[in-house]
Amino acid sequence: MKIGRVVPAGGPFRPALISLSLCVALLSAAPAAADIVIGVAVPRSGPYVAVGEQVLRGVEAAARDANAMGGLDGQPVTLDVQDDACDSNTATAVANHFVRSDVRLVVGHVCSNASIAASDIYAQNGVVMITAASVAARLTDRGLPTVFRVCGRDDDQARLSAAVLAERFRDRKIALIQDPTPASRTLAAATKDNLNRIGVNEALSLSFSPSDADDAALADRLKAAGIEVVYYGGDATEMGRLVKVAADRGFRPQWFGTSAIATPDFAKIAGPASNGVLMTFYLDPSRQPAAASVVKAFKAEGVDPTGSTIYGYAAMQALVAAGNFAHSAAPRAVAQALHTERFDLVLGTVGFDAKGDVTAQGYVLYVWKDGSFTPAGK
């Protein structure tokens, strides 16, 4: 598999165990002096473990493939994997760990709150950070020169969600609900703002605290209000529970989720009630020609590279491709290459704008059916 080629353009934390799929170099407990250590910050605990596993799986595969092709500027790549639990304080501690350990290239973090907290430390210390899954516009809108992402932005996601709600469900009773998490609140607010600007007003907008009792009470309240469409930006576990609880209580609206449910865990939890649920998510590169060989290799290992797996691969792939173009692992040189060049990645031929946002296609509407999601079409 190609790791990417350049296309010319006009308290201590313990590293988590590395997957057995990695080559011997990656398994070394004490990497050789010439090895280039790349930090990886993902949730290995907490509610977003499934997304963290997807990202890590992709990162490990890209590192393995990079080493098979000579590494980064001729040096082997090893990984320092840390658990940030999608928590801002823990992410800050992880970032400080990388700085103290002289790790200057990082793939991470997954949750936007964790990425935003850690990015300030990376920027202050000249560390290049590239995230596979953090969508908050604020992350890159601050213009930090060493911060990048290969995924989409939440403001783009909110615009698509509002457009779909207005186009498909203008005459239906729509509820916009949110839980206390920053991502859920931000997406609900942005979707409401975009929807109202289009000229469509929701029938109900409310916040709730996820729990078995509250999920049942919420489902009953929505049903009593005659709600026909429910938009929710919660994670896969909570939305899965809510969809199932509602169905069990005879309430089956059109559910509409976000990229946070792009994991098989959602369908496992929701069961048959997951069928027909709509979701906005990045363009699925696993279905694109540029990722064909990588997808084939994953499937040969019994892995379905859905969700954020290919984006984890792309994040590591981009770092290596930029380093090889610059003939250097120095963060300034890698950041400069990312900002100015274009690369053939599993996402296609892409670059990064002045903010650090990837130039790849943005969000797409998907529908869940029989435990997996496919493009919803018109």
Side-chain angles (χ1 to χ4, degrees), residues 160 163-164 167-169 278 361 363-367 374-378:
L160 175 59
V164 172
E167 179 180 341
R168 296 189 175 205
F169 309 113
L278 295 174
Q361 181 178 334
Y363 288 90
V364 176
L365 182 68
Y366 295 90
V367 62
T374 57
K378 298 295 184 182

Side-chain angles (χ1 to χ4, degrees), residues 50-51 53-54 57 236-237 240 260-271 274 279 304-309 368 370-373:
V51 182
E53 289 176 349
Q54 290 174 356
R57 186 183 300 127
T237 299
I261 67 168
T263 166
D265 285 1
F266 165 68
K268 290 176 183 176
I269 296 168
S274 65
M279 172 190 76
D304 182 9
T306 56
S308 295
T309 303
W368 281 89
D370 299 332
S372 62
F373 57 87

Side-chain angles (χ1 to χ4, degrees), residues 27 40 162:
L27 290 168
V40 183

Side-chain angles (χ1 to χ4, degrees), residues 11-14 41 80 82-85 87-101 109 113-114 117-119 121-122:
F13 284 72
R14 293 178 297 173
D80 179 356
Q82 296 289 330
D83 176 14
D84 70 4
D87 174 75
S88 299
N89 291 331
T90 307
T92 298
V94 167
N96 283 319
H97 158 79
F98 287 144
V99 171
R100 289 194 305 270
S101 302
H109 298 232
N113 61 304
S119 64
I121 294 170
Y122 297 138

Side-chain angles (χ1 to χ4, degrees), residues 89-325:
N89 291 331
T90 307
T92 298
V94 167
N96 283 319
H97 158 79
F98 287 144
V99 171
R100 289 194 305 270
S101 302
D102 201 31
V103 173
R104 293 294 180 256
L105 302 176
V106 173
V107 176
H109 298 232
V110 167
C111 293
S112 292
N113 61 304
S115 284
I116 290 170
S119 64
D120 289 329
I121 294 170
Y122 297 138
Q124 291 166 9
N125 291 276
V127 175
V128 171
M129 163 195 156
I130 184 165
T131 176
S134 293
V135 300
R138 183 178 165 224
L139 176 63
T140 51
D141 279 352
R142 294 169 298 159
L144 301 178
T146 61
V147 174
F148 301 85
R149 65 170 138 220
V150 293
C151 58
R153 294 166 53 102
D154 59 6
D155 49 356
D156 290 335
Q157 183 168 202
R159 278 190 286 271
L160 175 59
S161 297
V164 172
L165 288 169
E167 179 180 341
R168 296 189 175 205
F169 309 113
R170 178 180 291 271
D171 298 324
R172 309 273 287 276
K173 296 185 75 172
I174 300 170
L176 307 176
I177 65 174
Q178 59 181 300
D179 61 41
T181 62
S184 181
R185 294 199 313 268
T186 298
L187 281 167
T191 299
K192 173 180 169 58
D193 181 61
N194 281 282
L195 187 63
N196 295 163
R197 289 185 182 186
I198 294 172
V200 177
N201 293 317
E202 70 281 4
L204 191 63
S205 180
L206 58 86
S207 300
F208 75 106
S209 297
S211 70
D212 289 339
D214 285 343
D215 286 353
L218 176 61
D220 289 345
R221 180 178 176 183
L222 294 172
K223 182 179 180 181
I227 296 300
E228 299 168 279
V229 182
V230 183
Y231 173 89
Y232 176 41
D235 64 61
T237 299
E238 177 51 29
M239 186 158 187
R241 290 196 319 170
L242 189 55
V243 169
K244 183 178 187 305
V245 166
D248 290 346
R249 301 177 77 82
F251 178 51
R252 294 177 176 271
Q254 173 62 66
W255 291 95
F256 195 147
T258 69
S259 56
I261 67 168
T263 166
D265 285 1
F266 165 68
K268 290 176 183 176
I269 296 168
S274 65
N275 287 334
V277 172
L278 295 174
M279 172 190 76
T280 48
F281 186 53
Y282 333 126
L283 176 72
D284 186 357
S286 68
R287 296 181 170 91
Q288 306 305 312
S293 62
V294 174
V295 170
K296 182 178 179 180
F298 272 122
K299 290 186 174 179
E301 296 175 354
V303 175
D304 182 9
T306 56
S308 295
T309 303
I310 297 297
Y311 284 87
Y313 191 103
M316 173 62 72
Q317 189 183 32
L319 283 182
V320 173
N324 284 335
F325 173 81

Side-chain angles (χ1 to χ4, degrees), residues 9-60:
F13 284 72
R14 293 178 297 173
L17 292 177
I18 303 298
S19 166
L20 292 178
S21 66
L22 288 177
C23 64
V24 173
L26 289 174
L27 290 168
S28 301
D35 289 3
I36 295 172
V37 180
I38 294 180
V40 183
V42 294
R44 311 301 303 279
S45 57
Y48 292 95
V49 167
V51 182
E53 289 176 349
Q54 290 174 356
V55 172
L56 180 58
R57 186 183 300 127
V59 169
E60 289 175 339

